[in-house]
Amino acid sequence: MPELPEVEVTRRQLEPLLVGRTLSAVRTTTASYFFLTPPAMLRRRLRGRRVLALERVGKYLIAQLDGDERLLLHLGMTGQIFGAGATSVRLLSSTAGGALPPEGQRRFRPDAHTHLQLRFADHGPAVFFRDVRKFGKVQLLASGERSARLDRLGPDALAVRGVALYAATRARRAPVKTVLLDQAVLAGVGNIYADEALYLAAISPTRRANRLSREECLRLARTIRRVLRRSIATGGSSISDYVRPDGSDGAYQDERRAYGRTGEPCPRCATPIRRVLIAARSTHFCPKCQR
DNA sequence: ACCGCACCCTGAGCGC
DNA sequence: TGCGCTCAGGGTGCGG
């Protein structure tokens, strides 16, 4: 997915499309793994609700509704949230043979992967949530209802402090990459930005977390904040499915140093970037200048 | 408490 | 063309 930068870019673009508007008809697909709240209940309880604010915590979006309810959204791996009128080939299921519909017929039409359609009382643009793999999540929290998923999250990665990272890693013998992916340690870093931050901080992803020095943790925390901020500024990474709510691609994929660059020369020392598996996730790094 | 792994689901790309 | 395999920005739940 969508990691913190993509979720934050989504939040910023979605905010004016949601906040202040009142939901009318809500359509869903049928019950699945995707719906933490049963779809029939979602349809019933969302109708007439007004959106007061749109927030982000880690990789979660939280729409504050009137009546003190909250709608949790998570994009999973292939989630896309966008407004009616967005056009992008990423929003179309490729047909057998991969032929694209002709220009002019590429306007999005809700398909079998469009699990949530939000329509509004003002009859303005609808908002869609599409997710091919259904690893995304939707949940409606009643007034005062706690969410174990949110309660588990560590500090937001945009604000992570080096001293906190140092403290959190002391008892962790797992590779530092594994610990960066742990949302209880810091919320928002995923596979791309873990690799990118470790590359930029020149720390090997295979290092045992508890072997990092205090100075390395400070450097790593700074680098994490910097790479996330930079990605947000460029609109996030559009690598396979991610699109912004207006349908446009982000641009951070063009600035990647390590992720997905197996075999290409390291930008610092020209050694070929290596790919290994850590925590069953593909991990890209320079074996020479990351120590 | 921590660690690694299987699993949730669908589609694309590859070699044969 | 078709089949079988591997891979993919995530997270949970399990047993060791």
Side-chain angles (χ1 to χ4, degrees):
Chain A
M1 148 181 105
E3 306 179 29
L4 184 150
E6 292 75 35
V7 178
E8 177 60 21
V9 169
T10 297
R11 191 197 68 76
R12 292 181 187 184
Q13 275 200 5
L14 206 53
E15 196 168 45
L17 270 172
L18 286 183
V19 173
R21 300 180 76 195
T22 299
L23 291 157
S24 53
V26 173
R27 293 190 201 176
T28 69
T29 50
T30 57
S32 74
Y33 200 73
F34 178 86
F35 291 102
L36 294 177
T37 300
M41 189 179 297
L42 266 186
R43 293 194 297 269
R44 179 162 45 80
R45 288 174 55 191
L46 282 179
R47 194 180 325 142
R49 291 265 84 88
R50 184 160 185 257
V51 183
L52 301 181
L54 185 64
E55 294 159 12
R56 179 195 58 74
V57 179
K59 302 176 195 173
Y60 287 88
L61 286 173
I62 305 169
Q64 299 283 350
L65 309 175
D66 60 1
D68 198 30
E69 300 201 307
R70 292 179 295 167
L71 185 67
L72 254 55
L73 305 167
H74 193 290
L75 295 171
M77 291 277 260
T78 52
Q80 304 166 314
I81 302 180
F82 52 96
T87 57
S88 167
V89 295
R90 298 184 196 275
L91 298 177
L92 306 173
S93 292
S94 76
T95 50
L100 284 174
E103 194 80 40
Q105 289 178 36
R106 294 186 191 171
R107 205 175 85 78
F108 174 74
R109 301 264 178 238
D111 61 3
H113 305 302
T114 309
H115 303 300
L116 201 57
Q117 302 182 40
L118 305 177
R119 305 193 186 258
F120 298 89
D122 59 17
H123 297 103
V127 169
F128 302 107
F129 188 170
R130 186 170 182 268
D131 183 7
V132 169
R133 286 176 75 184
K134 291 191 273 196
F135 288 171
K137 295 282 175 284
V138 178
Q139 182 174 27
L140 184 61
L141 296 178
S143 175
E145 185 179 352
R146 302 210 56 92
S147 158
R149 303 175 116 83
L150 293 184
D151 289 346
R152 250 196 298 276
L153 297 179
D156 195 78
L158 263 187
V160 65
R161 308 293 313 164
V163 283
L165 188 59
Y166 181 70
T169 50
R170 291 311 85 192
R172 304 293 297 265
R173 293 178 42 87
V176 58
K177 159 92 182 245
T178 303
V179 175
L180 293 186
L181 294 178
D182 184 346
Q183 302 298 297
V185 171
L186 71 170
V189 171
N191 209 32
I192 294 179
Y193 299 105
D195 282 6
E196 292 301 301
L198 287 165
Y199 175 85
L200 291 167
I203 294 170
S204 168
T206 62
R207 289 270 301 282
R208 306 274 145 194
N210 60 358
R211 306 296 295 274
L212 293 189
S213 68
R214 186 184 182 84
E215 144 63 25
E216 285 173 318
C217 286
L218 297 181
R219 189 166 85 232
L220 183 54
R222 261 199 316 274
T223 309
I224 290 168
R225 296 192 301 266
R226 180 157 53 89
V227 73
L228 297 177
R229 277 200 312 269
R230 173 64 190 160
S231 180
I232 292 168
T234 62
S237 302
S238 287
I239 290 178
S240 72
D241 298 279
Y242 177 72
V243 289
R244 297 191 260 186
D246 66 3
S248 62
D249 282 358
Y252 193 79
Q253 65 278 7
D254 301 331
E255 298 192 17
R256 283 170 302 136
R257 314 295 210 281
Y259 180 85
R261 297 210 184 276
T262 311
E264 296 179 33
C266 164
R268 274 191 302 247
C269 74
T271 302
I273 296 293
R274 269 189 61 195
R275 175 182 177 276
V276 296
L277 282 184
I278 297 179
R281 314 295 302 279
S282 85
T283 299
H284 314 74
F285 69 106
C286 172
K288 183 163 177 216
C289 58
Q290 288 179 252
R291 317 290 351 188

